[in-house]
Amino acid sequence: MSLFLVVSVIVIASAAADDNCDVSKYITCMEPIHNVTFGHQNGLFQDSNDLATSCPIIKTGIKCIKDFATECGTDMIAENFHEQFERPAEFLTKICDSDSPLRTEYLKASPCLQEHSDDLEVCSTKVQEFLAMLDDADTNEKEMTMTCMYEMMLRACLLSTGAEKCQLETASFIRKALLYSPSLGMQTCSKE
């Protein structure tokens, strides 16, 4: 009888863990973060009043995702959890820390970046158009080269556009922000 109880408890606990690890739980964690960043009326470029509302939601979402990862593992979240979640989460945490120098730089850069957000978005299009003119990547080596080119050209465009439209101080902030950006392309560039 006691063996039956132990097996029953294990089966029930296992089923409960599976329910807790359903991808919808992760989506429930992530959706509010998306809504207060990309879905916000000012997008990613918010002022201190916006951050007062957004940051508690961001912090709760980050904790929710970390709890999910601890309980369920990181496979459902990202191929490289550190690069694709932890680094961007660290950036958001610093933006939400009122004592962080990065937050101060963000708040200085944000109004100009918001004003010129269309110019920044053009960077991705320009780079894609350039790469489309090249030969198709018919080998792994060519694919790696094109991925690396895309990443480097995109970053260069973002930095130069930031400097041109918003001055060098803003380009400096963009450079720092890109350090937290998930970049499989930059990892590709560092491979032999």
Side-chain angles (χ1 to χ4, degrees), residues 20-27 29 63-74 76-77:
N20 288 339
C21 294
D22 183 75
V23 73
S24 65
K25 169 96 164 109
Y26 168 71
I27 292 168
C29 295
K63 182 184 180 324
C64 181
I65 293 168
K66 285 181 177 180
D67 291 347
F68 179 87
T70 299
E71 185 173 342
C72 306
T74 61
M76 272 194 277
I77 299 173

Side-chain angles (χ1 to χ4, degrees), residues 104-131:
T104 303
E105 290 179 52
Y106 167 82
L107 290 172
K108 283 182 188 173
S110 196
C112 188
L113 290 173
Q114 182 179 14
E115 180 181 340
H116 296 286
S117 62
D118 289 345
D119 296 312
L120 295 167
E121 288 178 26
V122 166
C123 286
S124 179
T125 305
K126 282 197 254 184
V127 173
Q128 288 173 1
E129 288 172 354
F130 172 77
L131 292 177

Side-chain angles (χ1 to χ4, degrees), residues 138-169:
D138 56 359
T139 65
N140 189 42
E141 179 64 30
K142 286 181 181 177
E143 180 68 33
M144 287 175 54
T145 301
M146 289 184 73
T147 300
C148 179
M149 285 174 60
Y150 175 82
E151 191 69 36
M152 291 185 142
M153 291 173 70
L154 177 63
R155 288 170 179 254
C157 181
L158 291 170
L159 287 166
S160 61
T161 301
E164 176 190 345
K165 303 290 182 180
C166 301
Q167 305 302 316
L168 195 53
E169 188 176 24

